[in-house]
């Protein structure tokens, strides 16, 4: 089982919190799509032939025209063996999702939409400098539901000024619309973003940890009560709607990442492409892949395993740990996890260690304490 990730590095405008790679000029979009296709052809032997998931991320993949999307699919289907029931996700922003656009996407091989709603409130959207407004957020979902069953939305909590009441209202609207999958992230202040500058200049007050924690608790409680499974720290799905792309990533399956800034993983090596659209295009024009490679050490792989597994419902299986990394790593993990078991932040069920409800909000910190560092 393997997957393809395509990074579409264009956005209409820069969201104030975003540190992903994108350009607000779409001048080179068609040339970049040509090179994205070329990259897939040049690298097709790097992953097992059978493709189970295809994911268009970005940036804003809904900025691709239907001709560009068709060109990409023709390249994929003529160079890879795509499973008949492959999950094919496209990230879309509400302002791109007219009825016509949604119908075009539904007529393409795309079978899952991941829509960047973030909030249903105008003031939050403006503070984050999103390109869409409150009406577009709602209308795009109503229209998407007419053509797609498998829909995910992103919602952000911990926004300055987002009261618990507004946060509950965001979740209520998502539930009323019967969206079957929700990814929800805390608004983090990344380096070199507009948000960081606003805070440095005192134009915006940073959010207290307590707000993050409360809103995370509201999120978990509201969605689990509504029948969603909290299957990964930031992801909630109704039965049959968990993201197969994300699951494959957390289970360490190989994937080929194409496009500027895209990462790839083959089980042992991690590769990442240059985060610059012009340099990416120039390099591919000469049939060179502009990328760096990192050979993962056994410690790196163990640390990644612990970090990703503790964020998911799968947890850390110590037998698997021993088989993949050796007895030394299993002993190390069990010895250090003892403290978290006593504090009831983790629990052990047979061979599997899981984060408890009490420990959920702290899962990244707990994982970091269990890392193996020479
Ligand atoms: S649309 Fe997405 S990728 Fe583009 S700037 Fe906003 S958050 Fe970043």
């Amino acid at each position: 089982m393997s997957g393809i990730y395509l990074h579409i590095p264009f956005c209409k405008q820069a969201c104030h919190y975003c540190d992903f790679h994108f350009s607000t000029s779409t001048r080179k979009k068609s040339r970049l799509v040509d090179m994205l296709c070329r990259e897939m052809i040049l690298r097709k032997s790097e992953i097992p032939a059978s493709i189970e998931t295809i994911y268009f991320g970005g940036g804003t993949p809904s900025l691709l025209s239907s001709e560009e999307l068709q060109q990409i699919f023709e390249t994929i289907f003529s160079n890879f063996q795509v499973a008949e029931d492959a999950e094919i996700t496209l990230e879309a922003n509400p302002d791109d999702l007219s009825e016509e656009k949604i119908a075009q996407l539904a007529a393409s091989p795309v079978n899952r939409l991941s829509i960047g709603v973030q909030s249903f409130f105008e003031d939050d959207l403006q503070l984050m400098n999103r390109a869409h407004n409150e009406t577009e957020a709602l209308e795009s979902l109503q229209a998407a539901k007419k053509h797609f069953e498998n829909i995910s939305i992103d919602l952000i909590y911990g926004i300055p000024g987002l009261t618990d009441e507004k946060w509950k209202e965001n979740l209520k609207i998502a539930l009323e619309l019967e969206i079957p999958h929700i990814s929800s992230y805390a608004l983090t202040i990344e380096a070199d973003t507009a948000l960081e500058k606003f805070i440095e200049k005192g134009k915006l007050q940073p959010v207290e940890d307590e707000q993050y924690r409360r809103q995370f608790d509201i999120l978990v409680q509201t969605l689990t009560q509504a029948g969603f499974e909290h299957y990964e720290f930031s992801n909630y799905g109704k039965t049959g709607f968990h993201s197969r792309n994300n699951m494959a990533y957390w289970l360490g399956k190989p994937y080929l990442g194409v496009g500027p800034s895209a990462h790839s993983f083959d089980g042992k090596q991690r590769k990442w492409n240059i985060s610059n659209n012009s340099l990416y295009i120039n390099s591919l024009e000469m049939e060179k892949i502009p990328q760096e490679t990192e050979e993962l050490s056994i410690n790196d792989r163990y640390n990644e395993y612990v970090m990703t597994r503790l964020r998911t419902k799968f947890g850390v299986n110590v037998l698997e740990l021993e088989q993949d990394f050796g007895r030394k790593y299993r002993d190390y993990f069990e010895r250090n996890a003892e403290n978290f078991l006593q504090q009831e932040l983790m629990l052990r069920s047979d061979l599997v260690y899981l984060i408890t409800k009490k420990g959920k909000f702290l899962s990244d910190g707990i994982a970091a304490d269990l890392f193996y560092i020479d």
Side-chain angles (χ1 to χ4, degrees):
M1 173 179 172
S2 49
I4 298 178
Y5 171 82
L6 301 105
H7 191 83
I8 310 299
F10 302 101
C11 294
K12 280 189 190 153
Q13 61 191 52
C15 299
H16 283 160
Y17 57 89
C18 182
D19 71 341
F20 293 147
H21 168 66
F22 65 91
S23 162
T24 49
S25 158
T26 52
R27 208 166 37 89
K28 295 185 174 152
K29 184 156 67 84
S30 118
R31 194 68 193 130
L32 193 129
V33 169
D34 291 342
M35 292 305 113
L36 206 70
C37 292
R38 180 174 286 183
E39 186 186 358
M40 281 193 280
I41 295 169
L42 289 170
R43 297 181 63 196
K44 66 180 176 184
S45 62
E46 286 184 29
I47 50 161
S50 169
I51 303 298
E52 304 271 342
T53 61
I54 298 171
Y55 193 95
F56 291 82
T60 310
S62 47
L63 289 178
L64 290 172
S65 66
S66 47
E67 292 74 26
E68 288 164 342
L69 203 55
Q70 193 185 344
Q71 182 188 348
I72 292 172
F73 279 126
E74 274 168 13
T75 307
I76 293 177
F77 286 106
S78 53
N79 287 282
F80 299 90
Q81 195 190 319
V82 181
E84 256 185 45
D85 66 342
E87 177 188 271
I88 304 179
T89 307
L90 183 128
E91 288 182 355
N93 279 344
D95 43 304
D96 293 329
L97 292 180
S98 61
E99 287 261 8
E100 191 196 350
K101 177 78 179 181
I102 294 167
Q104 278 171 5
L105 290 170
S108 82
V110 171
N111 54 28
R112 182 171 184 269
L113 283 185
S114 172
I115 306 176
V117 171
Q118 319 309 354
S119 173
F120 292 102
F121 289 95
E122 197 64 42
D123 53 345
D124 295 338
L125 295 170
Q126 281 179 15
L127 184 140
M128 294 189 285
N129 201 37
R130 296 290 306 184
H132 65 278
N133 60 31
E134 167 177 8
T135 313
E136 286 166 324
L138 269 179
E139 288 181 355
S140 66
L141 296 186
Q142 283 154 350
K145 282 189 63 188
K146 290 186 202 154
H147 296 270
F148 284 89
E149 196 193 358
N150 201 348
I151 298 175
S152 177
I153 62 168
D154 288 352
L155 289 176
I156 295 184
Y157 60 94
I159 303 169
L162 179 73
T163 60
D164 292 353
E165 284 59 44
K166 273 171 70 190
W167 179 229
K168 285 178 189 164
E169 186 60 23
N170 269 334
L171 295 170
K172 187 167 163 250
I173 296 170
L175 294 180
E176 281 168 359
L177 286 164
E178 298 183 344
I179 303 298
H181 187 276
I182 297 177
S183 297
S184 187
Y185 307 93
L187 185 74
T188 47
I189 311 299
E190 304 296 343
D192 301 323
T193 57
L195 218 52
E196 186 194 51
K197 292 194 180 64
F198 295 155
I199 288 178
E200 275 169 9
K201 288 184 183 155
K203 285 187 185 168
L204 206 63
Q205 285 305 306
V207 164
E208 303 277 328
D209 280 353
E210 195 39 42
Q211 181 183 335
Y212 287 122
R213 195 187 179 108
R214 268 197 333 270
Q215 295 183 350
F216 177 77
D217 288 344
I218 292 170
L219 172 69
V220 176
Q221 204 191 357
T222 309
L223 295 188
T224 49
Q225 268 175 9
F228 285 76
E229 186 181 21
H230 185 195
Y231 69 104
E232 195 267 348
F233 183 77
S234 308
N235 286 277
Y236 306 77
K238 287 270 176 82
T239 308
F241 291 97
H242 295 30
S243 160
R244 283 165 53 198
N245 173 74
N246 295 358
M247 299 274 245
Y249 170 72
W250 299 319
L251 292 173
K253 307 285 182 206
Y255 60 91
L256 181 71
V258 294
S261 84
H263 285 221
S264 304
F265 180 62
D266 67 0
K268 292 204 171 75
Q269 282 185 337
R270 197 167 289 290
K271 296 178 181 175
W272 60 95
N273 288 355
I274 195 163
S275 298
N276 179 302
N277 292 359
S278 301
L279 295 179
Y280 172 82
I281 291 172
N282 294 346
S283 178
L284 258 307
E285 273 171 346
M286 294 184 291
E287 308 226 326
K288 274 200 197 136
I289 314 293
Q291 71 184 183
E292 289 185 57
T293 304
E294 183 190 21
E295 203 74 43
L296 296 179
S297 69
I298 187 162
N299 284 358
D300 294 336
R301 288 193 291 117
Y302 160 86
N303 291 345
E304 277 195 20
Y305 173 90
V306 169
M307 172 64 105
T308 49
R309 287 305 185 92
L310 286 182
R311 287 176 66 103
T312 67
K313 64 171 183 171
F314 306 110
V316 169
N317 181 316
V318 284
L319 189 62
E320 207 172 75
L321 201 64
E322 184 175 341
Q323 281 162 356
D324 289 356
F325 305 101
R327 183 81 210 183
K328 180 177 94 170
Y329 287 87
R330 174 177 176 171
D331 289 345
Y332 177 85
F333 179 86
E334 290 189 308
R335 207 170 48 245
N336 288 287
E338 197 49 46
N339 177 27
F340 297 116
L341 292 178
Q342 278 171 20
Q343 293 179 62
E344 296 177 349
L345 296 171
M346 286 175 87
L347 60 86
R348 180 176 178 153
S349 163
D350 195 14
L351 291 168
V352 178
Y353 283 72
L354 291 157
I355 299 280
T356 59
K357 206 171 157 198
K358 183 177 161 193
K360 276 226 163 108
F361 189 70
L362 307 168
S363 59
D364 283 357
I366 295 172
D369 279 349
L370 294 164
F371 282 176
Y372 194 101
I373 297 159
D374 269 337

